[in-house]
Amino acid sequence: MADRFLDTDELHQLRAQVCDGLHGDVVELGFGSGLNAQHYPPSVRSVAAVEPSDLAWRMAQTRIAATTAEVVRAGLDGQRLDLPDASVDAALSTFTMCTIADLDLARGS
Ligand SMILES: C[S@@+](CC[C@H](N)C(=O)[O-])C[C@H]1O[C@@H](n2cnc3c(N)ncnc32)[C@H](O)[C@@H]1O
C-alpha cells in the first residue's frame, strides 16, 4: 500500500528536492520499496538502507538495480544503527519518522 500511495508525480517532485545535494555515502532510514532511488544524484556513491520489511526490500530490487549508487541493506531499525560514527555524509528519510516508535532514539542513533 505504501508503495502505491507514495508513488505519485507530486511526491516524486518532493523526493527530487529532498535528494538534491546528496553526495558520497548516505544512510536512508526507512528505505521502503526504494522510491527515492531514482532521485539519488550521480554523486551518491553508496546508500546504507535501513528497512525492517523484507517485502518492501524485495519490491525495491528493480529500483536498486537501476541506480548507480551501491545500495546495501545495513539494518532493520532506524532506532539502532549499526554504523560507525561519522561514517556517512548524509542521512535521508522520507515518510518514515511517523512509523518509528522512539523518534528521539532514531534522531540520536
Ligand atoms: C510509509 S513507508 C515510507 C517508505 C519510504 N521512505 C518512502 O518514502 O517511500 C515507512 C517505512 O518505514 C519503515 N519502518 C518502520 N519502522 C521502522 C524503523 N524502526 N526503522 C526504520 N524503518 C522503519 C517501514 O517498513 C516502511 O518501509
Side-chain angles (χ1 to χ4, degrees), residues 32-33 53-64 73:
S33 56
S53 165
D54 290 336
L55 173 61
W57 183 247
R58 280 198 303 276
M59 292 173 73
Q61 293 311 302
T62 307
R63 296 177 177 125
I64 290 172
R73 198 175 186 186

Side-chain angles (χ1 to χ4, degrees), residues 25-99:
D25 301 315
V26 174
V27 60
E28 181 166 355
L29 303 180
F31 186 82
S33 56
L35 288 167
N36 287 324
Q38 66 183 276
H39 302 291
Y40 299 154
S43 52
V44 172
R45 179 174 42 236
S46 73
V47 175
V50 179
E51 174 51 52
S53 165
D54 290 336
L55 173 61
W57 183 247
R58 280 198 303 276
M59 292 173 73
Q61 293 311 302
T62 307
R63 296 177 177 125
I64 290 172
T67 181
T68 56
E70 181 191 7
V71 181
V72 175
R73 198 175 186 186
L76 303 177
D77 186 359
Q79 296 169 117
R80 289 173 195 79
L81 296 184
D82 192 21
L83 297 171
D85 286 348
S87 60
V88 295
D89 300 295
L92 170 66
S93 191
T94 55
F95 309 108
T96 291
M97 293 304 170
C98 56
T99 67

